[in-house]
Amino acid sequence: MNNFEHREINNGEGKRYTREEEIEEDEEDEDEGNGRGLDAWERAYADERSWESLQEDESGLLRPIDNKTLYHAQYRRRLRSLSSTARAARIQKGLIRYLYVVIDLSRAAGEMDFRPSRMVVVAKQVEAFIREFFDQNPLSQIGLVTIKDGVAQCLTDLGGSPESHIKALMGKLECSGDSSIQNALDLVHDYLNQIPSYGHREVLILYSALSTCDPGDIMETIQKCKRSKVRCSVIGLSAELYICKHLCQETGGSYSVALDEPHLKELVLEHAPPPPAIAEFAIANLIKMGFPQRAAEGVISICSCHKEAKVGGGYTCPRCKARVCELPTECRICGLTLVSSPHLARSYHHLFPITPFDDVSHSRLSNSRQKRPITCFGCQLSLLNQVNMPSPCVVCPKCKQYFCLDCDIYIHESLHNCPGCDSFRQSMSSSRTEE
Amino acid sequence: MTTVPSKLYADDVSLLMVLIDTNPFFWSTVKNTFTFSNFLSHVLPFLNSILLLNQLNQVVVIATGYNSCDYIYDSSLAAPNQRAESLLGKLEEFVTRDEELSQQNSIEGVWSSLLSGSLSMALCYIQKVFRSGPLHPQPRILCLHGSPDGPGQYVAIMNSIFSAQRSTVPIDSCVIGSQHSAFLQQASYITGGVYLKPQQLEGLFQYLSTVFAADLHCRSFLQLPKPVGVDFRASCFCHKNTIDMGYICSVCLSIFCKHHKKCSTCGSVFGQAQTNVASASDRKRKTTET
């Protein structure tokens, strides 16, 4: 996903707009019945804003904007703010999360300020969020709740399979009636009270309505959530509401209102990385777990979960040697929690983040041009541009290797390893022990 | 990169990143029958045959040493009639440089190679190829590895594996050492590559050309070696031992081989001594739900 975004941006504005256009076309099919919106030829000018991707250079010629450096600067700002908050909060993260996503399907969700409608846009973003969430929080679970006609309904129970949630959500996209925050919180609170003490309880509410229609005193419910340490966050789709802000402040969550669809996506995905653990929210504990080995293909054995003979695949519990089909699970025979180590390792980059690289300033470039390498350490791309002048690059503060801007983004967003630090023994041992 | 008419770029054009293990400690332990020069005499014809299979194929070789890693060959830069010379020249330079570095610091513990570094470099290179436009060769990584796994590199190698998985780059592994490599087993399993430990190293070229020469499109039609089981054991953070049962910190998911009072990674203090509390409440939940 990172990779895709990344490439799209490098190919420049032109490509991005063609993609939007495709989406436009899709939408057109859906809202044809409504007879609404601009004509296609008008839309091409209103939405594409093709003039914005050009700028005048010193000789008066039109040139496409070099948005690669712009994008990179933006990305660096984000990285810096992230790493400073991470520093402040240490590396305690709530990695075992139990999250309920509450989706408002009241009348307001049918509004069409987001196209084709708020609920379709929300459903799309929730789908992306669920996938990203399980990628980043391997042992966590999600449940879905909808609010409709003033009543909160549990769509799916807490579970770890993204597909089942997405399927359930896509089948239930209708909106009607009023919305009630209190009913939703009461329902979620009852469910979250039953999870183990080491888990982090969280609620993410995607709220379209501008009011809440509650059967009782919502302030009491908010206090109840606060007492049971449920962290509530709200993303609004219309305007800021006092009650939502109050709820988030009381329970330690975050409140934000989306401006448009890309902003909504950004806000929703902000909730995917684990939040810094707040010490009192969950009791730290050591959990005993086993790491089963995967058996050879073609071996026949009886699995303990379905009690059937199966060929190949399957994992062996290290304590009682029983065979199970899927991970993660709990051994049926001895009760040991079984996980695969790659499952856990997916989240380790949160624990050992790599330091942001430093910009190489232009003055330093001209001073030390003779000893500066001419290729990026990662991808061997030449760090000189067409006229043999040094192009912008970054340097790792630990191993002093130079990287091009694209590698910088890839290393911090997807790889989470510094190739320079990892390929020199001294620097590697020092960098890992520091953390 | 050379400019070629677009229709020539079909799905059978490969970019092969080869990671060669040059760890001197490993090569000094292998039996006399299979030396490093023997190994090279199998690998060089293999690289040549990859380049001959399709004129657009590209081969990049990265040396994985004990103290450092570096690019030693790139077929898009080197002259086509001097392949072996340029590769061997660069390799020799690299080995001497690597040796100089090891004289500076003493050797302790296991003598593993820096696989995580060379994997990261290969992935950066592949990203550059992806960025080059919609028409690019299909990349894959082949690790020719012999040294034992370095448990200290566990996190870094796993990060590389997941990044490769996200960009759908298969990692093939050919283990030339005497031991299976748990890291490479997981790498190939997770990324959908082939893991092979040849029985007879004298026939290495045959193994390479029959298993690893086919491009990704052809692979779906071939009966490639099936994995003989994958070692999913983890290494603990406290002693870097490989364990099959251990304790997980509920806050940061760090792995420990025995019970601690405090997590060394995130600093949280653990409450109860055992997990019985947690699993008991777990069970309670199940009964109330049903």
Side-chain angles (χ1 to χ4, degrees), chain A residues 393-417:
Chain A
C393 59
V394 289
V395 61
C396 170
K398 276 185 189 145
C399 61
K400 306 284 182 253
Q401 296 293 343
Y402 286 76
F403 294 94
C404 65
L405 303 188
D406 288 320
C407 277
D408 180 24
I409 297 177
Y410 173 66
I411 286 166
H412 286 94
E413 303 261 289
S414 170
L415 185 61
H416 307 294
N417 277 342

PDB file of all heavy atoms in Angstrom, chain A residues 393-417:
ATOM      1  N   CYS A 393      20.003  14.905  -0.865  1.00  0.00           N
ATOM      2  CA  CYS A 393      20.103  13.565  -0.312  1.00  0.00           C
ATOM      3  C   CYS A 393      20.121  13.663   1.213  1.00  0.00           C
ATOM      4  O   CYS A 393      20.158  14.755   1.766  1.00  0.00           O
ATOM      5  CB  CYS A 393      21.344  12.849  -0.825  1.00  0.00           C
ATOM      6  SG  CYS A 393      22.864  13.693  -0.430  1.00  0.00           S
ATOM      7  N   VAL A 394      20.074  12.533   1.862  1.00  0.00           N
ATOM      8  CA  VAL A 394      20.052  12.506   3.329  1.00  0.00           C
ATOM      9  C   VAL A 394      21.157  11.582   3.822  1.00  0.00           C
ATOM     10  O   VAL A 394      21.670  10.756   3.075  1.00  0.00           O
ATOM     11  CB  VAL A 394      18.697  12.005   3.857  1.00  0.00           C
ATOM     12  CG1 VAL A 394      17.608  13.029   3.629  1.00  0.00           C
ATOM     13  CG2 VAL A 394      18.315  10.695   3.223  1.00  0.00           C
ATOM     14  N   VAL A 395      21.515  11.734   5.073  1.00  0.00           N
ATOM     15  CA  VAL A 395      22.587  10.913   5.633  1.00  0.00           C
ATOM     16  C   VAL A 395      22.114  10.318   6.953  1.00  0.00           C
ATOM     17  O   VAL A 395      21.418  10.966   7.730  1.00  0.00           O
ATOM     18  CB  VAL A 395      23.877  11.744   5.793  1.00  0.00           C
ATOM     19  CG1 VAL A 395      23.670  12.916   6.734  1.00  0.00           C
ATOM     20  CG2 VAL A 395      25.029  10.888   6.275  1.00  0.00           C
ATOM     21  N   CYS A 396      22.455   9.038   7.161  1.00  0.00           N
ATOM     22  CA  CYS A 396      22.083   8.381   8.417  1.00  0.00           C
ATOM     23  C   CYS A 396      23.028   8.871   9.505  1.00  0.00           C
ATOM     24  O   CYS A 396      24.248   8.822   9.329  1.00  0.00           O
ATOM     25  CB  CYS A 396      22.180   6.868   8.268  1.00  0.00           C
ATOM     26  SG  CYS A 396      22.010   5.992   9.831  1.00  0.00           S
ATOM     27  N   PRO A 397      22.501   9.355  10.627  1.00  0.00           N
ATOM     28  CA  PRO A 397      23.378   9.883  11.663  1.00  0.00           C
ATOM     29  C   PRO A 397      24.267   8.820  12.304  1.00  0.00           C
ATOM     30  O   PRO A 397      25.286   9.141  12.901  1.00  0.00           O
ATOM     31  CB  PRO A 397      22.410  10.479  12.685  1.00  0.00           C
ATOM     32  CG  PRO A 397      21.113   9.820  12.440  1.00  0.00           C
ATOM     33  CD  PRO A 397      21.080   9.468  10.987  1.00  0.00           C
ATOM     34  N   LYS A 398      23.885   7.545  12.172  1.00  0.00           N
ATOM     35  CA  LYS A 398      24.668   6.502  12.843  1.00  0.00           C
ATOM     36  C   LYS A 398      25.780   5.968  11.963  1.00  0.00           C
ATOM     37  O   LYS A 398      26.925   5.915  12.355  1.00  0.00           O
ATOM     38  CB  LYS A 398      23.755   5.363  13.261  1.00  0.00           C
ATOM     39  CG  LYS A 398      23.093   5.663  14.592  1.00  0.00           C
ATOM     40  CD  LYS A 398      22.293   4.501  15.074  1.00  0.00           C
ATOM     41  CE  LYS A 398      21.478   4.916  16.293  1.00  0.00           C
ATOM     42  NZ  LYS A 398      20.193   4.249  16.335  1.00  0.00           N
ATOM     43  N   CYS A 399      25.427   5.568  10.724  1.00  0.00           N
ATOM     44  CA  CYS A 399      26.448   4.917   9.911  1.00  0.00           C
ATOM     45  C   CYS A 399      27.044   5.865   8.894  1.00  0.00           C
ATOM     46  O   CYS A 399      27.942   5.489   8.159  1.00  0.00           O
ATOM     47  CB  CYS A 399      25.876   3.682   9.227  1.00  0.00           C
ATOM     48  SG  CYS A 399      24.520   4.054   8.111  1.00  0.00           S
ATOM     49  N   LYS A 400      26.556   7.105   8.808  1.00  0.00           N
ATOM     50  CA  LYS A 400      27.108   8.134   7.920  1.00  0.00           C
ATOM     51  C   LYS A 400      27.049   7.742   6.452  1.00  0.00           C
ATOM     52  O   LYS A 400      27.899   8.116   5.664  1.00  0.00           O
ATOM     53  CB  LYS A 400      28.574   8.449   8.292  1.00  0.00           C
ATOM     54  CG  LYS A 400      28.783   8.815   9.748  1.00  0.00           C
ATOM     55  CD  LYS A 400      28.318  10.228  10.045  1.00  0.00           C
ATOM     56  CE  LYS A 400      28.571  10.585  11.497  1.00  0.00           C
ATOM     57  NZ  LYS A 400      27.335  10.623  12.300  1.00  0.00           N
ATOM     58  N   GLN A 401      26.067   6.933   6.075  1.00  0.00           N
ATOM     59  CA  GLN A 401      25.906   6.596   4.667  1.00  0.00           C
ATOM     60  C   GLN A 401      24.900   7.546   4.046  1.00  0.00           C
ATOM     61  O   GLN A 401      23.963   7.978   4.711  1.00  0.00           O
ATOM     62  CB  GLN A 401      25.416   5.159   4.508  1.00  0.00           C
ATOM     63  CG  GLN A 401      26.392   4.115   5.009  1.00  0.00           C
ATOM     64  CD  GLN A 401      27.656   4.034   4.202  1.00  0.00           C
ATOM     65  OE1 GLN A 401      27.712   4.531   3.077  1.00  0.00           O
ATOM     66  NE2 GLN A 401      28.674   3.421   4.758  1.00  0.00           N
ATOM     67  N   TYR A 402      25.077   7.826   2.755  1.00  0.00           N
ATOM     68  CA  TYR A 402      24.182   8.749   2.062  1.00  0.00           C
ATOM     69  C   TYR A 402      23.079   7.971   1.342  1.00  0.00           C
ATOM     70  O   TYR A 402      23.327   6.916   0.771  1.00  0.00           O
ATOM     71  CB  TYR A 402      24.967   9.573   1.040  1.00  0.00           C
ATOM     72  CG  TYR A 402      25.825  10.622   1.685  1.00  0.00           C
ATOM     73  CD1 TYR A 402      27.014  10.264   2.301  1.00  0.00           C
ATOM     74  CD2 TYR A 402      25.442  11.955   1.706  1.00  0.00           C
ATOM     75  CE1 TYR A 402      27.804  11.213   2.919  1.00  0.00           C
ATOM     76  CE2 TYR A 402      26.226  12.916   2.318  1.00  0.00           C
ATOM     77  CZ  TYR A 402      27.405  12.536   2.926  1.00  0.00           C
ATOM     78  OH  TYR A 402      28.177  13.472   3.541  1.00  0.00           O
ATOM     79  N   PHE A 403      21.863   8.524   1.372  1.00  0.00           N
ATOM     80  CA  PHE A 403      20.742   7.874   0.702  1.00  0.00           C
ATOM     81  C   PHE A 403      19.998   8.895  -0.140  1.00  0.00           C
ATOM     82  O   PHE A 403      19.951  10.080   0.198  1.00  0.00           O
ATOM     83  CB  PHE A 403      19.778   7.271   1.723  1.00  0.00           C
ATOM     84  CG  PHE A 403      20.372   6.146   2.508  1.00  0.00           C
ATOM     85  CD1 PHE A 403      20.954   6.383   3.740  1.00  0.00           C
ATOM     86  CD2 PHE A 403      20.364   4.861   2.004  1.00  0.00           C
ATOM     87  CE1 PHE A 403      21.521   5.346   4.455  1.00  0.00           C
ATOM     88  CE2 PHE A 403      20.926   3.825   2.719  1.00  0.00           C
ATOM     89  CZ  PHE A 403      21.508   4.065   3.939  1.00  0.00           C
ATOM     90  N   CYS A 404      19.371   8.404  -1.217  1.00  0.00           N
ATOM     91  CA  CYS A 404      18.549   9.302  -2.014  1.00  0.00           C
ATOM     92  C   CYS A 404      17.194   9.481  -1.315  1.00  0.00           C
ATOM     93  O   CYS A 404      16.853   8.747  -0.398  1.00  0.00           O
ATOM     94  CB  CYS A 404      18.366   8.745  -3.419  1.00  0.00           C
ATOM     95  SG  CYS A 404      17.442   7.223  -3.504  1.00  0.00           S
ATOM     96  N   LEU A 405      16.411  10.458  -1.764  1.00  0.00           N
ATOM     97  CA  LEU A 405      15.161  10.776  -1.071  1.00  0.00           C
ATOM     98  C   LEU A 405      14.169   9.626  -1.153  1.00  0.00           C
ATOM     99  O   LEU A 405      13.451   9.356  -0.195  1.00  0.00           O
ATOM    100  CB  LEU A 405      14.547  12.040  -1.669  1.00  0.00           C
ATOM    101  CG  LEU A 405      15.436  13.282  -1.654  1.00  0.00           C
ATOM    102  CD1 LEU A 405      14.642  14.491  -2.094  1.00  0.00           C
ATOM    103  CD2 LEU A 405      16.020  13.512  -0.270  1.00  0.00           C
ATOM    104  N   ASP A 406      14.126   8.935  -2.288  1.00  0.00           N
ATOM    105  CA  ASP A 406      13.183   7.831  -2.427  1.00  0.00           C
ATOM    106  C   ASP A 406      13.509   6.707  -1.458  1.00  0.00           C
ATOM    107  O   ASP A 406      12.622   6.135  -0.829  1.00  0.00           O
ATOM    108  CB  ASP A 406      13.199   7.301  -3.859  1.00  0.00           C
ATOM    109  CG  ASP A 406      12.535   8.271  -4.816  1.00  0.00           C
ATOM    110  OD1 ASP A 406      11.506   8.842  -4.419  1.00  0.00           O
ATOM    111  OD2 ASP A 406      13.040   8.455  -5.922  1.00  0.00           O
ATOM    112  N   CYS A 407      14.801   6.395  -1.341  1.00  0.00           N
ATOM    113  CA  CYS A 407      15.197   5.349  -0.407  1.00  0.00           C
ATOM    114  C   CYS A 407      14.868   5.776   1.021  1.00  0.00           C
ATOM    115  O   CYS A 407      14.449   4.967   1.832  1.00  0.00           O
ATOM    116  CB  CYS A 407      16.687   5.049  -0.514  1.00  0.00           C
ATOM    117  SG  CYS A 407      17.080   3.918  -1.841  1.00  0.00           S
ATOM    118  N   ASP A 408      15.065   7.053   1.315  1.00  0.00           N
ATOM    119  CA  ASP A 408      14.763   7.568   2.649  1.00  0.00           C
ATOM    120  C   ASP A 408      13.322   7.252   3.021  1.00  0.00           C
ATOM    121  O   ASP A 408      13.038   6.711   4.102  1.00  0.00           O
ATOM    122  CB  ASP A 408      15.009   9.080   2.667  1.00  0.00           C
ATOM    123  CG  ASP A 408      14.717   9.706   4.020  1.00  0.00           C
ATOM    124  OD1 ASP A 408      14.773   8.970   5.011  1.00  0.00           O
ATOM    125  OD2 ASP A 408      14.444  10.913   4.067  1.00  0.00           O
ATOM    126  N   ILE A 409      12.408   7.551   2.093  1.00  0.00           N
ATOM    127  CA  ILE A 409      10.993   7.313   2.382  1.00  0.00           C
ATOM    128  C   ILE A 409      10.740   5.811   2.506  1.00  0.00           C
ATOM    129  O   ILE A 409      10.099   5.354   3.443  1.00  0.00           O
ATOM    130  CB  ILE A 409      10.112   7.931   1.281  1.00  0.00           C
ATOM    131  CG1 ILE A 409      10.302   9.453   1.278  1.00  0.00           C
ATOM    132  CG2 ILE A 409       8.654   7.591   1.505  1.00  0.00           C
ATOM    133  CD1 ILE A 409       9.555  10.167   0.196  1.00  0.00           C
ATOM    134  N   TYR A 410      11.277   5.044   1.569  1.00  0.00           N
ATOM    135  CA  TYR A 410      11.044   3.594   1.611  1.00  0.00           C
ATOM    136  C   TYR A 410      11.577   2.993   2.911  1.00  0.00           C
ATOM    137  O   TYR A 410      10.921   2.169   3.547  1.00  0.00           O
ATOM    138  CB  TYR A 410      11.716   2.933   0.398  1.00  0.00           C
ATOM    139  CG  TYR A 410      11.673   1.435   0.444  1.00  0.00           C
ATOM    140  CD1 TYR A 410      10.466   0.759   0.346  1.00  0.00           C
ATOM    141  CD2 TYR A 410      12.828   0.691   0.618  1.00  0.00           C
ATOM    142  CE1 TYR A 410      10.412  -0.614   0.415  1.00  0.00           C
ATOM    143  CE2 TYR A 410      12.784  -0.687   0.681  1.00  0.00           C
ATOM    144  CZ  TYR A 410      11.569  -1.330   0.581  1.00  0.00           C
ATOM    145  OH  TYR A 410      11.511  -2.692   0.659  1.00  0.00           O
ATOM    146  N   ILE A 411      12.761   3.435   3.319  1.00  0.00           N
ATOM    147  CA  ILE A 411      13.386   2.868   4.513  1.00  0.00           C
ATOM    148  C   ILE A 411      12.543   3.161   5.747  1.00  0.00           C
ATOM    149  O   ILE A 411      12.332   2.295   6.599  1.00  0.00           O
ATOM    150  CB  ILE A 411      14.813   3.427   4.663  1.00  0.00           C
ATOM    151  CG1 ILE A 411      15.738   2.792   3.630  1.00  0.00           C
ATOM    152  CG2 ILE A 411      15.356   3.175   6.066  1.00  0.00           C
ATOM    153  CD1 ILE A 411      17.057   3.494   3.479  1.00  0.00           C
ATOM    154  N   HIS A 412      12.015   4.368   5.853  1.00  0.00           N
ATOM    155  CA  HIS A 412      11.270   4.710   7.059  1.00  0.00           C
ATOM    156  C   HIS A 412       9.824   4.246   7.029  1.00  0.00           C
ATOM    157  O   HIS A 412       9.228   4.032   8.071  1.00  0.00           O
ATOM    158  CB  HIS A 412      11.332   6.222   7.311  1.00  0.00           C
ATOM    159  CG  HIS A 412      12.663   6.655   7.827  1.00  0.00           C
ATOM    160  ND1 HIS A 412      13.647   7.117   6.998  1.00  0.00           N
ATOM    161  CD2 HIS A 412      13.169   6.660   9.067  1.00  0.00           C
ATOM    162  CE1 HIS A 412      14.708   7.398   7.723  1.00  0.00           C
ATOM    163  NE2 HIS A 412      14.454   7.136   8.976  1.00  0.00           N
ATOM    164  N   GLU A 413       9.245   4.130   5.835  1.00  0.00           N
ATOM    165  CA  GLU A 413       7.830   3.805   5.778  1.00  0.00           C
ATOM    166  C   GLU A 413       7.583   2.311   5.675  1.00  0.00           C
ATOM    167  O   GLU A 413       6.577   1.826   6.161  1.00  0.00           O
ATOM    168  CB  GLU A 413       7.189   4.480   4.563  1.00  0.00           C
ATOM    169  CG  GLU A 413       7.360   5.969   4.555  1.00  0.00           C
ATOM    170  CD  GLU A 413       6.128   6.687   5.055  1.00  0.00           C
ATOM    171  OE1 GLU A 413       5.132   6.675   4.334  1.00  0.00           O
ATOM    172  OE2 GLU A 413       6.184   7.249   6.164  1.00  0.00           O
ATOM    173  N   SER A 414       8.470   1.601   4.995  1.00  0.00           N
ATOM    174  CA  SER A 414       8.166   0.192   4.747  1.00  0.00           C
ATOM    175  C   SER A 414       9.238  -0.745   5.283  1.00  0.00           C
ATOM    176  O   SER A 414       8.929  -1.742   5.900  1.00  0.00           O
ATOM    177  CB  SER A 414       7.996  -0.017   3.241  1.00  0.00           C
ATOM    178  OG  SER A 414       7.923  -1.366   2.932  1.00  0.00           O
ATOM    179  N   LEU A 415      10.491  -0.418   5.054  1.00  0.00           N
ATOM    180  CA  LEU A 415      11.547  -1.380   5.386  1.00  0.00           C
ATOM    181  C   LEU A 415      11.850  -1.404   6.882  1.00  0.00           C
ATOM    182  O   LEU A 415      12.028  -2.458   7.469  1.00  0.00           O
ATOM    183  CB  LEU A 415      12.803  -1.037   4.566  1.00  0.00           C
ATOM    184  CG  LEU A 415      13.974  -1.989   4.676  1.00  0.00           C
ATOM    185  CD1 LEU A 415      13.577  -3.372   4.192  1.00  0.00           C
ATOM    186  CD2 LEU A 415      15.141  -1.498   3.856  1.00  0.00           C
ATOM    187  N   HIS A 416      11.945  -0.264   7.500  1.00  0.00           N
ATOM    188  CA  HIS A 416      12.263  -0.123   8.924  1.00  0.00           C
ATOM    189  C   HIS A 416      13.632  -0.681   9.294  1.00  0.00           C
ATOM    190  O   HIS A 416      13.846  -1.139  10.416  1.00  0.00           O
ATOM    191  CB  HIS A 416      11.188  -0.764   9.816  1.00  0.00           C
ATOM    192  CG  HIS A 416       9.811  -0.274   9.518  1.00  0.00           C
ATOM    193  ND1 HIS A 416       9.422   1.018   9.743  1.00  0.00           N
ATOM    194  CD2 HIS A 416       8.741  -0.896   8.983  1.00  0.00           C
ATOM    195  CE1 HIS A 416       8.168   1.164   9.374  1.00  0.00           C
ATOM    196  NE2 HIS A 416       7.735   0.027   8.902  1.00  0.00           N
ATOM    197  N   ASN A 417      14.547  -0.717   8.335  1.00  0.00           N
ATOM    198  CA  ASN A 417      15.939  -1.101   8.596  1.00  0.00           C
ATOM    199  C   ASN A 417      16.797  -0.051   7.935  1.00  0.00           C
ATOM    200  O   ASN A 417      16.453   0.390   6.853  1.00  0.00           O
ATOM    201  CB  ASN A 417      16.301  -2.377   7.835  1.00  0.00           C
ATOM    202  CG  ASN A 417      15.890  -3.622   8.529  1.00  0.00           C
ATOM    203  OD1 ASN A 417      15.630  -3.605   9.719  1.00  0.00           O
ATOM    204  ND2 ASN A 417      15.834  -4.695   7.789  1.00  0.00           N
TER     205      ASN A 417
END
